[in-house]
Amino acid sequence: MQFSRIGGQATEDHFWQVLLVCSGEEFLRHGEVLVGSCDMAAPETRIMVCLTDDVPQADALLTRIADRCFGVALYRITAPMAGGAIERDPRWMRWRIAGALLAATRLPVLLVSPGTLVRGSLAALAAELQSADIAFGARFSRPKVRNRVITNVVWLGVNDRVQWFLRELDRSIGYRFARRDGAASNDAEKQAVYRTLVRCGRLLRFVNLPSRYADRDQRPDSLIWAPPRHGEVSEDSRDHAEDVVCAFWAEPDVVVLAPRQDLGTKTKLADNNIKTRVKRLARPGRIYWRHAPRLIAAMLQRDGRQVRILPVGQWDIGPELLDRLAPADVFVPHTLRAQFDHPRARYYMQELLPSLFTQDSDGWGPSARWSGSRAFETVPVDRRFAGFAQALRDGRITKAPQKDGGAPPAFDVLAPLQVPGDDALIHHSDTTLEAYVTALVAFGQTTGTRVLFKRHPYDRSGFFREMRKAHSSATAIFVETGHVHDLIGSAKAVVVINSGVGFEAMLYGKPVLSFGRAAYDAAVTPVRPGGLADAYRTALAEPDAARTARYDRFASWYVYQIGMKLDEPILNLAWDRLALAEPRTEPGRR
């Protein structure tokens, strides 16, 4: 067996793969829909296609599809065609190909049937099935064996147990097909799968595949529509398939870059095994990063734009990539126009909270066009805001994972540390992290104010230990544990450079002082060079009611008019959220 990439992304970074084994006639009927729907809805996938016979038109279609693939990586599998018609029957051959592919790539396989249609991202599939050797639909209570398993969509892990199962299954399928005098049968395949599962089940970790990954009833919220019972394709399914094919062949005029959350953040991880990648994908903050590009794409598609999502590593994003994607507008994650100024770039970012994103033509935070605006002063507080703020406090929601450490020591001012080298410090701060610590240490020593420095959960450098060793005292307290919401609640004030903790502190009504440039600068107390003591006195002297009213107005305006909060049941889908004044009306463009 040989396989080679024939289209789509030139990447070997996938850690599982979709396998379609079918005849040429089946590919002619269903190939565009399967590959096209993956490319549109699940561009993070690697698709392996094996045609079990020689149909020139099917091979030509596969080549044309490969030339059009945008996000997925498409591979052709060339397998030996020896043996009789039964041995080359796709219902038998696909299991053999799957076993060979598992052995050759050491990557899990999602085995699908012709007629499968992908409707949503499959990025979380490997995380959900990471402990399974094999997964497919099963209904063991059914009286007839052929009705007990549903093998349209099957997940196969990588280990010796799975290979043992496939060898046993191959013998069972051959025996049952032979009994039918050379007539291959879907029932015979299902009976063989069931009997083999029963025989191997005591050593095999079998999981009933969640129905959203193999939905024969084709419900709107399912991620994969498997071929329906008895071939009864609904009108909705036909319409959706036609829309997918039309969109697949259309030239995109907008591309949304989606950062690969499994490979690393700013640089590719040196050790990026499957366990590490699954763990990264399962983090709450990264889950929202998977949803944000799709929401932006959906909003643009609603207005008639031809949109494609392209998963990329953050390190691959630059002017060269945008030039290659011409003439489309490109939504770029985690980047500012100051980093590279490209006329077709639009920038989006996760800001302050895991579920909150912004888009802008210049960047995020203080680099955005709305930064410093006083518009929030004239906008009424949204009716949803009180519930949002209460839910954040009750759920103790924050971007980084927290480790409770019992009752915190007595202190006056909370000073959350940021990650050295963080983009917010590089691009939006006129001071360094060390200068921030030094200024607060001196302030504490001079005034007797007890300052508590909290290590950032994602800081893997030696900065915290260095500062603790150099500055620990009765007024400079350094802690690694303690939930940041508990610390905010115990603080008289919160002093930040431009940390998201400042925004959280606003929702508690605490005085917030900012050393750097932050998204919330217009609402909090700035710290001028050498003026920390004055800023602290001013902030504490302000009446609580006036401060809370200002904070609430800003936070409500920021969350509901500037940002997009992805976990809201109702979103503002106006064009101003997309940093595009209006849809293009150039000739030949929609």
Side-chain angles (χ1 to χ4, degrees):
M1 183 189 77
Q2 296 179 334
F3 58 90
S4 57
R5 192 187 68 84
I6 58 173
Q9 289 204 67
T11 176
E12 296 297 331
D13 290 327
H14 300 89
F15 64 110
W16 65 275
Q17 51 205 326
V18 174
L19 172 62
L20 173 67
V21 179
C22 65
S23 68
E25 290 298 327
E26 287 174 322
F27 190 79
L28 287 171
R29 291 198 304 272
H30 304 293
E32 286 178 294
V33 173
L34 173 63
V35 179
S37 64
C38 282
D39 203 47
M40 298 295 296
E44 67 279 353
T45 52
R46 163 174 160 160
I47 306 175
M48 319 294 288
V49 176
C50 179
L51 304 181
T52 61
D53 52 17
D54 185 14
V55 178
Q57 298 93 327
D59 196 66
L61 176 61
L62 178 59
T63 301
R64 292 202 308 273
I65 289 173
D67 291 338
R68 175 54 62 182
C69 282
F70 192 84
V72 301
L74 182 62
Y75 288 72
R76 175 193 281 115
I77 294 178
T78 304
M81 294 299 175
I86 289 297
E87 290 180 288
R88 295 198 304 271
D89 187 283
R91 279 165 292 193
W92 188 354
M93 196 170 173
R94 67 181 189 141
W95 298 99
R96 290 182 170 181
I97 296 296
L101 188 61
L102 289 170
T105 64
R106 303 301 298 171
L107 299 174
V109 169
L110 186 71
L111 186 59
V112 300
S113 299
T116 301
L117 191 154
V118 176
R119 289 181 45 89
S121 172
L122 305 180
L125 179 63
E128 291 192 55
L129 300 177
Q130 58 183 301
S131 298
D133 293 334
I134 183 169
F136 52 77
R139 300 169 298 184
F140 297 127
S141 61
R142 294 298 176 98
K144 295 183 179 180
V145 169
R146 66 175 180 270
N147 293 330
R148 292 178 182 174
V149 296
I150 305 170
T151 57
N152 287 329
V153 181
V154 180
W155 171 265
L156 298 170
V158 185
N159 55 52
D160 292 339
R161 294 185 298 274
V162 173
Q163 291 291 0
W164 171 51
F165 171 84
L166 292 174
R167 287 193 298 270
E168 293 294 310
L169 177 61
D170 186 67
R171 284 193 286 269
S172 182
I173 289 179
Y175 167 74
R176 295 178 190 284
F177 276 19
R179 287 182 61 188
R180 294 180 173 268
D181 299 323
S185 165
N186 189 48
D187 287 348
E189 181 202 23
K190 289 185 175 183
Q191 289 174 8
V193 170
Y194 176 75
R195 298 297 186 192
T196 307
L197 181 64
V198 171
R199 189 160 61 251
C200 302
R202 59 188 178 86
L203 297 177
L204 201 67
R205 294 178 297 188
F206 170 76
V207 172
N208 204 338
L209 187 68
S211 61
R212 62 183 172 278
Y213 292 120
D215 182 9
R216 297 191 300 171
D217 296 325
Q218 302 185 341
R219 293 177 291 268
D221 56 344
S222 294
L223 298 175
I224 295 178
W225 280 359
R229 297 179 180 87
H230 313 298
E232 297 172 356
V233 179
S234 68
E235 185 175 348
D236 287 345
S237 180
R238 284 194 297 270
D239 290 345
H240 186 74
E242 290 175 3
D243 291 343
V244 164
V245 171
C246 289
F248 176 71
W249 292 106
E251 191 71 30
D253 59 8
V254 181
V255 175
V256 183
L257 302 181
R260 288 289 300 270
Q261 295 295 298
D262 57 312
L263 297 179
T265 305
K266 297 180 182 178
T267 58
K268 189 180 294 187
L269 299 180
D271 180 12
N272 216 352
N273 56 57
I274 291 179
K275 184 177 180 181
T276 298
R277 297 167 83 164
V278 167
K279 184 177 180 181
R280 287 176 61 84
L281 286 172
R283 291 177 181 171
R286 302 194 191 283
I287 291 173
Y288 285 111
W289 266 113
R290 296 206 303 271
H291 294 320
R294 298 173 191 284
L295 176 62
I296 294 171
M299 292 162 63
L300 289 160
Q301 287 166 342
R302 185 203 65 169
D303 286 284
R305 308 296 290 269
Q306 295 294 341
V307 187
R308 305 300 285 274
I309 297 174
L310 180 63
V312 292
Q314 193 69 37
W315 49 89
D316 290 327
I317 297 175
E320 299 81 6
L321 175 60
L322 270 68
D323 288 339
R324 180 161 60 85
L325 297 174
D329 289 321
V330 183
F331 281 81
V332 184
H334 214 300
T335 308
L336 306 169
R337 187 168 294 281
Q339 291 174 263
F340 67 85
D341 186 0
H342 199 284
R344 290 182 289 102
R346 304 293 183 266
Y347 307 92
Y348 74 100
M349 180 63 165
Q350 183 186 53
E351 292 206 63
L352 304 181
L353 297 172
S355 63
L356 189 63
F357 283 75
T358 62
Q359 304 94 28
D360 190 81
S361 61
D362 290 334
W364 49 271
S367 294
R369 293 174 302 169
W370 47 262
S371 177
S373 170
R374 311 298 300 190
F376 71 92
E377 296 176 338
T378 62
V379 177
V381 175
D382 192 281
R383 57 182 174 77
R384 295 170 288 178
F385 176 75
F388 152 71
Q390 188 64 50
L392 181 135
R393 293 189 295 265
D394 291 346
R396 305 203 298 174
I397 297 171
T398 188
K399 283 184 72 173
Q402 301 293 312
K403 183 185 295 184
D404 289 327
F411 69 98
D412 301 305
V413 171
L414 172 62
L417 298 178
Q418 295 174 237
V419 178
D422 182 68
D423 282 353
L425 296 177
I426 294 173
H427 301 293
H428 296 145
S429 178
D430 299 322
T431 188
T432 65
L433 196 57
E434 185 172 358
Y436 161 75
V437 172
T438 302
L440 280 163
V441 168
F443 166 72
Q445 290 173 342
T446 302
T447 63
T449 303
R450 295 164 298 181
V451 181
L452 186 142
F453 296 94
K454 170 70 164 59
R455 179 180 183 175
H456 195 284
Y458 288 144
D459 181 9
R460 302 293 182 261
S461 71
F463 178 80
F464 177 84
R465 291 187 294 273
E466 293 171 7
M467 294 296 101
R468 180 172 59 186
K469 183 177 180 180
H471 299 297
S472 281
S473 68
T475 56
I477 306 160
F478 290 79
V479 300
E480 297 189 58
T481 60
H483 197 289
V484 69
H485 278 234
D486 294 336
L487 300 178
I488 291 172
S490 300
K492 293 180 181 177
V494 177
V495 182
V496 298
I497 297 180
N498 49 20
S499 167
V501 175
F503 184 74
E504 294 164 26
M506 292 171 65
L507 300 180
Y508 278 84
K510 297 288 181 175
V512 176
L513 291 77
S514 171
F515 269 73
R517 285 169 283 129
Y520 44 77
D521 269 354
V524 302
T525 304
V527 177
R528 308 302 180 195
L532 176 56
D534 289 341
Y536 182 67
R537 284 192 294 270
T538 299
L540 262 64
E542 182 179 21
D544 291 345
R547 178 176 59 249
T548 300
R550 183 176 70 256
Y551 284 180
D552 286 357
R553 279 185 179 275
F554 175 85
S556 173
W557 172 76
Y558 181 76
V559 169
Y560 294 110
Q561 296 203 28
I562 296 300
M564 289 196 312
K565 191 165 175 291
L566 270 59
D567 55 356
E568 285 286 328
I570 300 175
L571 290 168
N572 173 7
L573 301 183
W575 272 98
D576 60 357
R577 293 295 185 92
L578 298 173
L580 298 172
E582 58 185 11
R584 290 191 176 189
T585 56
E586 302 166 34
R589 306 291 287 276
R590 293 182 64 184

